[in-house]
Amino acid sequence: MQFQWYPGHMMKAKRQMQEDIKLVDIIIELVDARIPFSSRNPDIDELGKNKARLILMNKADLADTKKTEVWNAYFKRKGYFVVCIDARRKNGMKLIQHEIMEACKEKIERNRRRGIQNRPMRAMVVGIPNVGKSTFINSYAGRACAKTGNKPGVTKGRQWICLNKNVELLDTPGILWPKFEDQTVGLHLALVGSIKDEILNTDEMAVSLLKILLRDYPGAIEERYGVKEKEETEVLCGIAENRNCLKKGNELDYTKAAALVIDEFRSGKIGRFTIEMPKEQEN
């Protein structure tokens, strides 16, 4: 299955971002803590060179804690400021203001030397679709000022949001990139919901997900679904049986079982998983 989704508004958003980048002091990039590599748009590094950078590893509550620590250290070695957050529950949010000020320390000092006092740092919030940008902004601001939704493509335009005397945020639509060179990246994006489900093959996605979880987290599937961990297609059949996923005539409904597995992975009901690691990316 080929993974690709690049609607017209994303192209427009990228062009707008190129114009707006000169207006900001720092780029705040949200990534999904379950797929920290795949959820980074490679265009952002090119657009944001020479800008201070803060990476927020969102949905950390759904990710493997130990692997999140490895990714945190990896990004810091690359020169980024990093905070792990759960924007929905506001975990980690108190650390962000300090990291923004640290990342912008040189700019603040230059402003002070030029006699510019108390000018707020302007931050552009970027990230792929459905990574939680609007939820983060609303949690950080303490009010509903960005439209949210548990699906990609909710934010269509940009907006400035004044948080306090120190920080202003520029919200931007989530953008992917025109072509995934590695289809594993496309798979990972599809699994966490950053590509519209309507254009995907749910059965194939679930089999691919089961293959990953059976390899990296042995025992997790058996514990959740009571299915002996064999080959992934057999496991999907077992899940359909155990969860009574049936069509008319009591025939097993594998698509229903596949959708169940993907939904429970996304919601964290199966467990806390991270499905890629830094060493794999460097190799």
Side-chain angles (χ1 to χ4, degrees):
M1 178 169 52
Q2 291 289 305
F3 298 93
Q4 206 61 55
W5 185 53
Y6 194 67
H9 77 269
M10 290 189 185
M11 191 178 299
K12 181 181 176 183
K14 181 182 175 182
R15 287 197 298 265
Q16 185 66 61
M17 191 180 294
Q18 288 171 323
E19 290 297 313
D20 291 338
I21 205 88
K22 64 191 75 165
L23 303 176
V24 303
D25 306 299
I26 181 172
I27 296 174
I28 299 176
E29 180 182 4
L30 272 78
V31 303
D32 190 310
R34 296 166 293 181
I35 53 166
F37 174 77
S38 294
S39 58
R40 295 197 68 216
N41 186 332
D43 291 341
I44 301 300
D45 283 339
E46 179 61 28
L47 290 171
K49 57 186 178 184
N50 303 322
K51 297 288 181 181
R53 301 290 299 278
L54 170 61
I55 288 180
L56 301 182
M57 294 180 63
N58 193 26
K59 305 186 182 183
D61 57 307
L62 302 174
D64 182 318
T65 305
K66 290 183 178 179
K67 291 183 178 180
T68 296
E69 291 174 1
V70 174
W71 275 107
N72 192 325
Y74 169 81
F75 285 132
K76 286 181 177 177
R77 286 197 304 272
K78 296 287 185 181
Y80 299 102
F81 289 81
V82 187
V83 180
C84 300
I85 65 170
D86 169 11
R88 288 182 305 159
R89 297 183 179 86
K90 301 187 178 183
N91 294 335
M93 303 298 288
K94 293 180 180 178
L95 302 173
I96 295 172
Q97 179 89 5
H98 174 265
E99 293 300 307
I100 291 174
M101 294 297 105
E102 281 295 305
C104 295
K105 186 182 289 185
E106 290 184 12
K107 180 64 180 286
I108 294 170
E109 180 58 26
R110 284 200 304 272
N111 284 346
R112 189 190 64 78
R113 290 197 299 266
R114 292 161 59 191
I116 303 172
Q117 300 288 343
N118 302 320
R119 186 180 82 75
M121 291 295 99
R122 287 185 156 186
M124 178 183 283
V125 182
V126 301
I128 63 168
N130 204 33
V131 77
K133 294 189 308 301
S134 297
T135 301
F136 154 67
I137 289 170
N138 292 341
S139 296
Y140 193 28
R143 63 187 188 278
C145 48
K147 188 177 179 182
T148 64
N150 190 26
K151 60 181 181 179
V154 172
T155 303
K156 290 291 199 302
R158 66 185 181 104
Q159 58 175 329
W160 281 103
I161 298 160
C162 184
L163 294 182
N164 51 51
K165 63 184 179 67
N166 293 317
V167 179
E168 291 179 357
L169 292 183
L170 176 60
D171 188 15
T172 62
I175 57 171
L176 293 171
W177 49 107
K179 184 179 180 181
F180 303 140
E181 298 296 337
D182 181 357
Q183 282 296 299
T184 301
V185 169
L187 170 65
H188 291 174
L189 291 170
L191 289 174
V192 301
S194 291
I195 300 174
K196 282 193 173 181
D197 288 333
E198 293 85 348
I199 66 171
L200 300 170
N201 185 316
T202 305
D203 295 30
E204 289 185 22
M205 282 172 56
V207 169
S208 297
L209 174 61
L210 287 170
K211 185 175 183 178
I212 293 168
L213 298 184
L214 292 169
R215 179 194 69 203
D216 294 347
Y217 294 93
I221 295 298
E222 183 172 353
E223 182 177 343
R224 177 65 182 172
Y225 299 107
V227 176
K228 289 294 181 183
E229 297 191 340
K230 302 175 183 177
E231 195 263 339
E232 50 269 17
T233 52
E234 292 182 66
V235 170
L236 185 60
C237 292
I239 292 172
E241 287 182 28
N242 287 6
R243 289 299 182 90
N244 290 317
C245 298
L246 303 173
K247 301 177 183 177
K248 287 183 179 179
N250 284 335
E251 184 182 347
L252 289 177
D253 190 336
Y254 301 114
T255 299
K256 186 176 181 180
L260 172 72
V261 171
I262 292 169
D263 180 66
E264 294 200 342
F265 163 73
R266 290 175 179 173
S267 63
K269 289 179 181 177
I270 306 175
R272 298 178 61 161
F273 304 128
T274 300
I275 59 177
E276 59 187 21
M277 291 299 289
K279 189 165 68 173
E280 299 166 14
Q281 316 315 327
E282 289 177 339
N283 288 343

